[in-house]
Amino acid sequence: MTSYSCCLILLLFTWNTAAYGPNQRAQKKGDIILGGLFPIHFGVAAKDQDLKSRPESVECIRYNFRGFRWLQAMIFAIEEINSSPTLLPNMTLGYRIFDTCNTVSKALEATLSFVAQNKIDSLNLDEFCNCSEHIPSTIAVVGATGSGISTAVANLLGLFYIPQVSYASSSRLLSNKNQFKSFLRTIPNDEHQATAMADIIEYFRWNWVGTIAADDDYGRPGIEKFREEAEERDICIDFSELISQYSDEEEIQQVVEVIQNSTARVIVVFSSGPDLEPLIKEIVRRNITGKIWLASEAWASSSLIAMPEFFRVIGSTIGFALKAGQIPGFREFLQKVHPKKSTNNGFAKEFWEETFNCHLPDGSKNSPASTSFHKGHEEGLGAGNGTSAFRPPCTGDENITSVETPYMDYTHLRISYNVYLAVYSIAHALQDIYTCTPGKGLFTNGSCADIKKVEAWQVLKHLRHLNFTNNMGEQVDFDEFGDLVGNYSIINWHLSPEDGSVVFEEVGHYNVYAKKGERLFINENKILWGGFSKEVPFSNCSRDCLPGTRKGIIEGEPTCCFECVDCPDGEYSDETDASACDKCPEDYWSNENHTSCIPKQIEFLAWTEPFGIALTLFAVLGIFLTSFVLGVFTKFRNTPIVKATNRELSYLLLFSLLCCFSSSLFFIGEPQNWTCRLRQPAFGISFVLCISCILVKTNRVLLVFEAKIPTSLHRKWWGLNLQFLLVFLCTFVQIVICVIWLYTAPPSSYRNHELEDEIIFITCHEGSLMALGFLIGYTCLLAAICFFFAFKSRKLPENFNEAKFITFSMLIFFIVWISFIPAYASTYGKFVSAVEVIAILAASFGLLACIFFNKVYIILFKPSRNTIEEVRCSTAAHAFKVAARATLRRSNVSRKRSNSLGGSTGSTPSSSISSKSNHEDPFPLPACAERQRQQQRGCKQKVSFGSGTVTLSLSFEEPQKNAMANRNAKRRNSLEAQNSDDSLMRHRALLPLQ
């Protein structure tokens, strides 16, 4: 059974070796063998396997100069390590390197070779199988290039825990350690590259792009990550297509149609050069220009694509390139390659033929040839095709430096340096095993591996814990996913003015270590769009919205296709293409164009505005007129009219009116907290003081004249002290209301934003409308009581009580404040204060005019009526009228009784009294002084009482005129005598109060 297993494995290994042959590998013996996988060719020839005969290995075509240079970088690193006295001394590294032909099948053939040899060693079959040239196990593999190829290789190598260090496979799927246990790489994964692509699109303010990806494990995950990043940045994707170098012509035509009909100008491509080449050739054939190509690092510097004949189509390419490294001595090593000298490198012969387009006589018939060469200043790809039948023989003396190929393009070593770093990573892991101290190792109980019998899984363990400094002074350590974090250079394709070749200008970089938002740097001055333009192309579904507008969604369209909508009032946008309008701060409002916020207009009843000036002038006029009246009353304080109007209360009344006019000024100007707390109490207390004075004044005169005979008790209660006490008590109630109001809910200044959007109304927040209602209600209550007393005393002597004027003033007061309530409730802003000021001024002017203007007129312009005789005459006239009314009522009662008994049949006089005043009397008033003597039969008599004139007229019917005259004369004499005595006593009672 054991022999059978041995033969089976050897058969597998022999078949695998035969498939490659000695000239299809680079191999060198050593104590420790490293495997290598490189794309020496771009693909394989399409061949229909009909299985009518034994299938043959497919032929690799299209030579890859870059792939051969990468292979040379691995050999150079191994030879450098072997010659190092410090790194793995007394140990020799060997290698077995195979060509993957950029296909999975060829890569797996080579991988089976590595696995088979390792399996033979693990079985210890040397004693059974006489193997003459034993090759040690492959303890690590460097490669492969494409992510799809590395995925297949990693699945196989992971079964045997053989470490695989890739130099160019960047798919983020390979970071999954559950699936790819032994995979590591010296290139950053595509997650950062996809993010960087989205950042570039956002930087140039593009939002309408197309995507193309290779249909493999490199393109699909990369473009998927880009979609995620684009969605976060509101970047819309117009189309998304998959390509492959093996796609048929119809599929390529369909993708090209989509690109041609798309309005997106930016195309993001996650692909390798060989996969993209057929698509680019068809685009060039159709001459589809004006597109911006965003290239992943796999094709950004590929000479398969970066060709001068393609430049008019893809000249606006911006791509990513890996960070370049430096390999001292590598240039000289590349120049030493020669088929006769490079005996361990089976690919050197084909390289020589492809480089110089010649044929070595002892070459294989199936060796591919090249008839074309491609060159670039970056690490480009070169390809050749043809047959050896048309090539001249090679002399072997050709100079490698005389021909410019991608092989000799060592100015920017990117992938080559990654290969160099991968070899050194494995060497340093072996060095850690070589120098391991027992008890401090990574294995069980701190044990160490034996460097002479090292196994692949032990090397993998040390690679996971690797940490060393490379030749550029950078720290190298793989993270938990087996990745190295690196930065990207950003390149732009330019056309060289010297030879017309495509050159790659570095225009920026992407630092993955920086904070988000600071990773991308682009020097726009270095970028040429289409090879000549400096203007950034436009690639948006809709034109940018100007400041003052925002993007509006169009139903059924992607979010990047929008219409521009004006910002609503109160919102603004100060940038182009704003997604939403920002609300202005509370005290600001948008300007006319909605591009910025300006301070809101602040409104209050200002001193400087016309309305405020007018109200102020009226208030000042009221203060002036009140002061004038007070001055007149002070100057003529000893005159009868001033005395008769209760001089001290009149002074207090005028003072309260001054306060009323002055309180209106607190409602004008910008409301402050102190003015808001002062204005309502000032207004309320002033008016209550005013109404209290009028109330006490009217009530006192009414009590005096209603008393039949004034006594000392009346004089005591009608005294001045009691009057002031009553005024104080009435006012004190209002003061208490104001104090409670200010303590519980004090008014304050308030900025009202709700009434109008563009205006801030600065008003007073009253704190409590109930308190304001109590304040005004109490004032109106006193005014109602005052109105009652004034109406009751309307027929008293006018010199003592201006009853009808007080009544009229109270009516004005009520009309003003009843109108104030709906006006106050229906207005807003500064007009609330204006309404209250108007009410205060109207009520104050009404009181001032009705109570004092008539007296000032008499004092100043009718001094003849401001005498003691006039006062006494009016008092006597009032007493006479009261007595006359009483006598008339008794006479009417007696007459009715006489008529009921049969009474007299004679003629009775009829009297007619006409009056121009507010009252009528059935009897003519007695005349005073000379006026009484002027009374004649049948004539009209006028009697003046300060504020009114009474006209009396008497007429008698015939034939009893004389009899009635005698009878009236007797009655008049009796009434005059009685009224004279009564008026004298009332006048004496009032004099002390005057």
Side-chain angles (χ1 to χ4, degrees):
M1 186 67 182
T2 305
S3 301
Y4 176 77
S5 300
C6 176
C7 294
L8 181 63
I9 295 174
L10 284 176
L11 178 65
L12 175 64
F13 179 71
T14 303
W15 176 83
N16 187 273
T17 304
Y20 273 83
N23 292 329
Q24 292 179 307
R25 73 177 68 182
Q27 180 173 302
K28 183 179 181 181
K29 292 183 180 180
D31 299 324
I32 298 174
I33 300 299
L34 303 183
L37 298 173
F38 294 92
I40 308 303
H41 296 85
F42 282 117
V44 295
K47 188 175 183 180
D48 184 18
Q49 300 286 358
D50 57 5
L51 301 180
K52 292 182 179 180
S53 60
R54 180 184 296 275
E56 297 179 359
S57 179
V58 292
E59 180 185 3
C60 297
I61 60 173
R62 303 174 64 201
Y63 195 80
N64 182 4
F65 286 95
R66 285 181 73 197
F68 184 71
R69 189 179 67 222
W70 299 340
L71 179 149
Q72 288 286 79
M74 179 176 176
I75 295 175
F76 174 79
I78 290 176
E79 292 184 358
E80 193 175 59
I81 292 169
N82 288 338
S83 61
S84 174
T86 57
L87 191 60
L88 296 176
N90 303 321
M91 297 290 295
T92 302
L93 295 180
Y95 53 83
R96 295 174 66 210
I97 304 173
F98 296 98
D99 179 13
T100 64
C101 298
N102 204 36
T103 61
V104 173
S105 59
K106 286 292 184 180
L108 288 178
E109 281 187 58
T111 306
L112 284 173
S113 174
F114 301 140
V115 172
Q117 183 62 46
N118 284 24
K119 204 62 182 174
I120 291 174
D121 286 352
S122 67
L123 293 175
N124 291 321
L125 298 178
D126 290 344
E127 57 181 299
F128 301 101
C129 301
N130 186 14
C131 302
S132 57
E133 294 185 1
H134 172 67
I135 300 176
S137 299
T138 303
I139 55 94
V141 176
V142 176
T145 307
S147 296
I149 298 173
S150 286
T151 300
V153 171
N155 280 318
L156 184 56
L157 293 178
L159 293 174
F160 304 96
Y161 291 93
I162 300 174
Q164 175 189 357
V165 184
S166 176
Y167 49 84
S169 299
S170 57
S171 172
R172 63 188 183 120
L173 296 180
L174 291 167
S175 296
N176 185 352
K177 293 299 103 178
N178 293 325
Q179 183 176 358
F180 308 105
K181 302 178 180 64
S182 62
F183 181 84
L184 302 97
R185 53 187 164 191
T186 57
I187 184 174
N189 72 44
D190 289 331
E191 188 158 348
H192 296 297
Q193 187 176 184
T195 303
M197 285 181 166
D199 286 343
I200 288 179
I201 293 174
E202 186 179 35
Y203 176 85
F204 288 111
R205 303 181 64 83
W206 297 324
N207 64 13
W208 190 237
V209 301
T211 63
I212 295 175
D215 191 10
D216 55 21
D217 288 338
Y218 170 72
R220 289 192 303 269
I223 213 67
E224 181 184 350
K225 176 62 177 176
F226 171 77
R227 286 197 198 98
E228 295 173 3
E229 296 291 334
E231 186 176 354
E232 291 181 4
R233 294 164 173 79
D234 293 329
I235 299 170
C236 298
I237 297 175
D238 184 28
F239 63 87
S240 186
E241 300 292 334
L242 295 176
I243 59 173
S244 172
Q245 62 176 318
Y246 303 110
S247 299
D248 56 35
E249 186 177 352
E250 184 179 351
E251 291 175 338
I252 296 296
Q253 294 281 356
Q254 185 178 358
V255 174
V256 173
E257 288 287 343
V258 171
I259 295 173
Q260 190 170 15
N261 296 329
S262 173
T263 56
R265 296 188 62 187
V266 175
I267 302 175
V268 179
V269 182
F270 250 99
S271 174
S272 62
D275 286 324
L276 184 62
E277 185 185 19
L279 178 67
I280 295 299
K281 287 182 176 180
E282 179 61 24
I283 291 175
V284 171
R285 189 185 70 80
R286 295 196 183 192
N287 195 26
I288 302 174
T289 60
K291 302 295 184 180
I292 300 103
W293 299 84
L294 193 55
S296 63
E297 56 81 24
W299 72 275
S301 57
S302 171
S303 60
L304 279 178
I305 311 299
M307 300 176 65
E309 53 266 34
F310 295 167
F311 189 82
R312 72 178 189 276
V313 171
I314 56 174
S316 297
T317 297
I318 291 181
F320 291 88
L322 300 175
K323 183 180 179 182
Q326 296 179 357
I327 307 177
F330 186 51
R331 176 181 181 182
E332 291 76 13
F333 179 80
L334 293 176
Q335 294 175 353
K336 290 179 182 179
V337 65
H338 195 278
K340 296 181 179 180
K341 295 179 181 179
S342 305
T343 56
N344 296 322
N345 191 344
F347 300 103
K349 176 181 175 295
E350 185 179 359
F351 165 74
W352 198 265
E353 292 177 337
E354 294 294 335
T355 301
F356 297 105
N357 195 22
C358 62
H359 172 65
L360 291 172
D362 56 345
S364 173
K365 294 182 181 180
N366 296 328
S367 297
S370 173
T371 57
S372 61
F373 302 91
H374 306 281
K375 52 189 176 180
H377 289 272
E378 288 286 327
E379 279 190 56
L381 291 176
N385 49 50
T387 62
S388 60
F390 302 102
R391 291 180 176 177
C394 299
T395 63
D397 297 327
E398 290 86 359
N399 184 3
I400 193 69
T401 60
S402 64
V403 180
E404 188 173 353
T405 64
Y407 171 77
M408 291 300 296
D409 183 15
Y410 48 81
T411 53
H412 294 87
L413 301 177
R414 294 186 170 92
I415 300 297
S416 298
Y417 183 77
N418 286 351
V419 174
Y420 180 81
L421 189 60
V423 175
Y424 264 88
S425 298
I426 299 171
H428 276 279
L430 293 171
Q431 177 72 12
D432 291 341
I433 296 174
Y434 181 80
T435 59
C436 178
T437 302
K440 296 182 180 180
L442 299 177
F443 304 103
T444 306
N445 299 323
S447 61
C448 298
D450 185 359
I451 190 64
K452 295 182 180 180
K453 298 180 180 180
V454 65
E455 296 184 36
W457 65 271
Q458 294 171 327
V459 177
L460 177 61
K461 178 69 173 179
H462 277 271
L463 278 171
R464 290 178 178 178
H465 294 81
L466 184 66
N467 193 333
F468 73 98
T469 304
N470 63 14
N471 66 324
M472 296 180 64
E474 298 172 341
Q475 202 71 19
V476 178
D477 60 328
F478 296 102
D479 61 17
E480 58 181 324
F481 304 108
D483 299 335
L484 288 182
V485 180
N487 299 325
Y488 293 97
S489 297
I490 300 174
I491 59 175
N492 179 224
W493 289 13
H494 291 185
L495 203 60
S496 173
E498 299 174 358
D499 56 5
S501 63
V502 177
V503 295
F504 309 113
E505 180 72 22
E506 186 170 336
V507 296
H509 61 265
Y510 188 83
N511 184 3
V512 298
Y513 297 99
K515 295 186 297 183
K516 189 175 182 180
E518 300 178 0
R519 297 173 181 172
L520 180 66
F521 170 76
I522 292 180
N523 186 351
E524 291 189 52
N525 295 325
K526 290 185 177 182
I527 298 178
L528 293 178
W529 304 102
F532 61 89
S533 176
K534 289 284 187 179
E535 184 180 356
V536 178
F538 179 82
S539 183
N540 295 46
C541 183
S542 302
R543 285 288 174 183
D544 291 344
C545 291
L546 298 176
T549 61
R550 64 169 178 84
K551 296 187 292 185
I553 297 175
I554 301 176
E555 189 175 356
E557 296 289 338
T559 56
C560 298
C561 301
F562 51 82
E563 58 183 352
C564 296
V565 181
D566 291 335
C567 291
D569 292 338
E571 297 182 9
Y572 75 101
S573 66
D574 56 357
E575 58 184 12
T576 58
D577 206 17
S579 299
C581 299
D582 298 321
K583 285 189 176 181
C584 291
E586 188 177 21
D587 291 344
Y588 289 80
W589 193 251
S590 56
N591 61 1
E592 184 178 355
N593 297 326
H594 299 280
T595 56
S596 63
C597 291
I598 57 176
K600 286 184 179 181
Q601 180 182 349
I602 296 178
E603 281 201 4
F604 52 86
L605 190 58
W607 298 97
T608 54
E609 65 175 289
F611 200 22
I613 293 174
L615 294 176
T616 303
L617 290 177
F618 276 107
V620 172
L621 177 62
I623 294 172
F624 172 75
L625 292 177
T626 306
S627 301
F628 175 75
V629 173
L630 182 60
V632 171
F633 268 55
T634 303
K635 182 176 181 180
F636 297 95
R637 59 185 176 276
N638 294 321
T639 58
I641 285 200
V642 176
K643 289 182 179 182
T645 57
N646 200 332
R647 181 172 52 195
E648 288 73 12
L649 278 181
S650 295
Y651 292 157
L652 187 58
L653 176 59
L654 289 169
F655 171 75
S656 66
L657 286 174
L658 281 174
C659 294
C660 291
F661 284 114
S662 301
S663 67
S664 65
L665 299 177
F666 290 115
F667 292 82
I668 305 175
E670 182 177 354
Q672 305 291 337
N673 285 336
W674 68 272
T675 56
C676 291
R677 291 184 175 94
L678 184 60
R679 64 182 193 173
Q680 297 291 6
F683 139 72
I685 294 173
S686 300
F687 266 95
V688 165
L689 179 61
C690 178
I691 302 299
S692 300
C693 292
I694 298 173
L695 176 61
V696 172
K697 178 179 177 183
T698 305
N699 188 41
R700 168 193 172 260
V701 177
L702 180 64
L703 291 176
V704 168
F705 278 94
E706 285 187 350
K708 295 181 179 180
I709 300 177
T711 63
S712 59
L713 182 62
H714 289 107
R715 295 190 185 97
K716 177 180 179 181
W717 286 104
W718 296 335
L720 192 60
N721 293 335
L722 181 60
Q723 297 174 47
F724 283 119
L725 178 61
L726 292 175
V727 172
F728 170 76
L729 291 177
C730 293
T731 308
F732 181 74
V733 174
Q734 187 77 307
I735 294 174
V736 170
I737 294 174
C738 293
V739 170
I740 295 174
W741 182 9
L742 295 177
Y743 181 76
T744 57
S748 60
S749 178
Y750 171 65
R751 300 171 73 89
N752 194 329
H753 301 265
E754 300 175 357
L755 298 177
E756 290 189 17
D757 293 330
E758 302 179 17
I759 301 174
I760 299 176
F761 291 99
I762 303 181
T763 60
C764 285
H765 187 273
E766 302 300 348
S768 173
L769 291 177
M770 182 181 294
L772 179 62
F774 274 116
L775 183 140
I776 298 177
Y778 178 68
T779 305
C780 292
L781 175 63
L782 291 181
I785 297 173
C786 184
F787 175 78
F788 171 74
F789 285 123
F791 182 78
K792 189 175 181 180
S793 59
R794 67 191 182 281
K795 295 183 179 180
L796 295 182
E798 294 174 353
N799 285 358
F800 286 94
N801 188 40
E802 47 284 273
K804 58 185 178 182
F805 297 108
I806 292 177
T807 303
F808 186 66
S809 66
M810 290 299 104
L811 287 175
I812 295 175
F813 185 88
F814 280 122
I815 292 172
V816 168
W817 290 108
I818 290 174
S819 303
F820 165 78
I821 295 174
Y824 185 86
S826 61
T827 55
Y828 60 90
K830 65 180 180 180
F831 300 106
V832 174
S833 298
V835 166
E836 194 160 358
V837 171
I838 292 173
I840 292 173
L841 293 178
S844 300
F845 274 114
L847 293 173
L848 178 65
C850 292
I851 296 175
F852 291 102
F853 281 5
N854 183 57
K855 292 178 176 53
V856 171
Y857 174 76
I858 293 175
I859 293 173
L860 296 180
F861 301 105
K862 298 291 183 179
S864 60
R865 297 176 56 185
N866 190 14
T867 59
I868 191 63
E869 290 80 7
E870 284 288 331
V871 174
R872 288 176 179 174
C873 180
S874 63
T875 304
H878 173 74
F880 173 76
K881 287 192 290 182
V882 173
R885 291 191 187 97
T887 303
L888 182 58
R889 284 195 295 271
R890 289 194 297 269
S891 175
N892 290 335
V893 172
S894 299
R895 187 179 301 110
K896 289 179 182 179
R897 290 178 179 176
S898 300
N899 291 335
S900 63
L901 296 176
S904 170
T905 60
S907 300
T908 61
S910 64
S911 64
S912 175
I913 304 174
S914 64
S915 174
K916 293 181 183 180
S917 67
N918 291 336
H919 50 271
E920 299 179 356
D921 295 312
F923 283 89
L925 295 175
C928 295
E930 295 180 357
R931 293 193 191 92
Q932 191 174 9
R933 291 192 297 265
Q934 293 174 358
Q935 185 179 2
Q936 297 177 358
R937 183 186 305 170
C939 69
K940 295 182 180 180
Q941 178 67 38
K942 293 183 180 180
V943 184
S944 297
F945 297 101
S947 63
T949 302
V950 178
T951 303
L952 306 175
S953 62
L954 296 174
S955 61
F956 294 88
E957 296 180 359
E958 293 297 340
Q960 297 181 351
K961 182 174 16 178
N962 294 331
M964 288 299 296
N966 294 333
R967 197 177 304 161
N968 286 338
K970 292 180 181 180
R971 183 180 298 170
R972 187 183 304 114
N973 293 335
S974 175
L975 288 174
E976 285 181 356
Q978 180 180 352
N979 292 338
S980 178
D981 293 339
D982 186 38
S983 63
L984 181 60
M985 294 184 66
R986 294 182 186 275
H987 182 68
R988 289 176 180 175
L990 288 171
L991 285 177
L993 302 179
Q994 299 173 11

